[in-house]
Amino acid sequence: MAVEGKEMSFWEHLDEFRTVLFRSAAVVVGLMVVVFCFKSFVFDTIIFSPRTSDFIIYKWLNQLAAWKPWLSALEVDAFQIELINIEMSAQFFTHVSVSFWLGFVLAVPFILYQLWIFVRPALYPGEKKAVTASFAFCSLLFITGLMVGYFLVFPLTIKFLGTYQVSDWVENQISLKSYISMFTWLILMMGLVFEMPVLIHLLSRFGIVTKTFLRKYRRYAVVVLLFLAAIITPSGDAFTMSIVALPLYLLYEFSILVCKEKRVEEEAVETT
């Protein structure tokens, strides 16, 4: 590890960064092997749970509908989405790829910690405190984004698209590849976009954005968020896009709250 207070050469920095990458990769591979060994739990209990009406979010919606009659539109009828596989090696490679992505997701807090160790020696004491909080906040928001994606965005998307029919004559046959692709893409992207408040907070500390700026251009931000939601949504349908767009808008409003506004006294000092 780098010694704080000691100036390092470019090659020493490069060697230190290589160590960080090696440790992070080793942890990802280790977690990937662990996930790979628990195939039944990972797929049957976690990944495939949202494809039936027994999933927790559907039960909550039914309880809400039973509690308040005016929420009856939220009631979810019993359903079960059947998956098919049409490629010889698809199931094995799906197992491998899912194990890798879950291993990577589980390793994110460790990776962020390794990055923090790498940059810490170059920071001043005041900066260390701020960056430490930012790294911890990043991990929390990333995990929150994954949870929102798994318990809200993905289930409602699968329920709508997997049961939607243009005619009773046309039966849905969802491929394993399609299901897994939407699962990994939606949930991982929700984890990443939940980092928005951290990005806004850092930009505000550098004076690039302010609360006034974010409030003034809120309407334009909504358009940008809708465009971002359309990019995140793999299916491109309006229903899924609206489900993704709502958390993004709430994140924008939360970003305004955490935006660092310069104090009047600091501005006065800078002008003197």
Side-chain angles (χ1 to χ4, degrees):
M1 291 299 167
V3 179
E4 298 188 30
K6 177 183 176 182
E7 187 173 348
M8 300 173 63
S9 66
F10 171 78
W11 297 109
E12 288 176 325
H13 279 294
L14 188 61
D15 185 62
E16 188 68 27
F17 186 64
R18 184 177 59 183
T19 302
V20 169
L21 292 179
F22 177 78
R23 288 178 175 173
S24 300
V27 170
V28 170
V29 172
L31 290 173
M32 173 184 172
V33 172
V34 173
V35 172
F36 189 88
C37 294
F38 289 88
K39 179 181 67 173
S40 179
F41 174 77
V42 170
F43 284 92
D44 296 339
T45 306
I46 298 178
I47 296 179
F48 293 147
S49 287
R51 70 181 184 87
T52 71
S53 54
D54 291 331
F55 192 58
I56 187 170
I57 186 64
Y58 308 133
K59 291 182 178 179
W60 287 353
L61 291 176
N62 287 336
Q63 289 174 359
L64 283 175
W67 178 51
K68 294 292 184 180
W70 55 274
L71 293 175
S72 58
L74 297 177
E75 187 175 359
V76 177
D77 297 328
F79 76 95
Q80 180 171 315
I81 298 175
E82 300 295 338
L83 302 179
I84 62 171
N85 176 53
I86 58 176
E87 298 179 15
M88 182 69 71
S89 60
Q91 296 206 46
F92 173 74
F93 284 109
T94 295
H95 188 191
V96 173
S97 64
V98 168
S99 298
F100 169 76
W101 284 114
L102 287 181
F104 173 77
V105 167
L106 293 173
V108 164
F110 178 82
I111 295 173
L112 291 176
Y113 177 71
Q114 289 297 305
L115 291 175
W116 160 239
I117 292 177
F118 177 73
V119 302
R120 181 177 58 187
L123 301 176
Y124 293 107
E127 294 174 328
K128 290 179 182 179
K129 184 178 179 180
V131 175
T132 300
S134 296
F135 273 114
F137 200 36
C138 278
S139 298
L140 178 61
L141 286 176
F142 183 75
I143 294 173
T144 303
L146 295 179
M147 293 297 101
V148 171
Y150 177 73
F151 286 104
L152 181 64
V153 177
F154 178 71
L156 296 181
T157 300
I158 287 298
K159 166 64 174 66
F160 176 76
L161 297 181
T163 60
Y164 186 85
Q165 292 178 279
V166 294
S167 172
D168 292 336
W169 291 51
V170 183
E171 182 179 354
N172 286 329
Q173 291 185 324
I174 312 300
S175 70
L176 174 67
K177 182 178 180 181
S178 174
Y179 183 95
I180 295 297
S181 176
M182 181 171 290
F183 178 88
T184 53
W185 175 259
L186 267 182
I187 294 179
L188 186 59
M189 287 305 298
M190 289 304 298
L192 293 177
V193 297
F194 261 65
E195 302 296 336
M196 184 194 306
V198 175
L199 177 61
I200 296 296
H201 179 73
L202 292 176
L203 292 177
S204 66
R205 290 185 67 90
F206 290 111
I208 299 177
V209 296
T210 62
K211 287 187 178 183
T212 304
F213 175 85
L214 295 176
R215 288 168 178 158
K216 180 179 179 181
Y217 293 97
R218 181 183 277 113
R219 286 180 293 181
Y220 300 98
V222 170
V223 177
V224 174
L225 293 177
L226 288 174
F227 179 75
L228 181 60
I231 295 176
I232 295 174
T233 305
S235 58
D237 65 284
F239 178 81
T240 309
M241 189 178 74
S242 62
I243 294 176
V244 175
L246 179 58
L248 294 185
Y249 176 73
L250 295 177
L251 276 177
Y252 183 82
E253 294 295 334
F254 180 67
S255 299
I256 296 177
L257 296 177
V258 301
C259 186
K260 188 80 172 179
E261 198 78 82
K262 281 190 174 183
R263 292 178 298 186
V264 177
E265 304 90 61
E266 292 178 340
E267 295 178 351
V269 172
E270 292 176 356
T271 56
T272 58

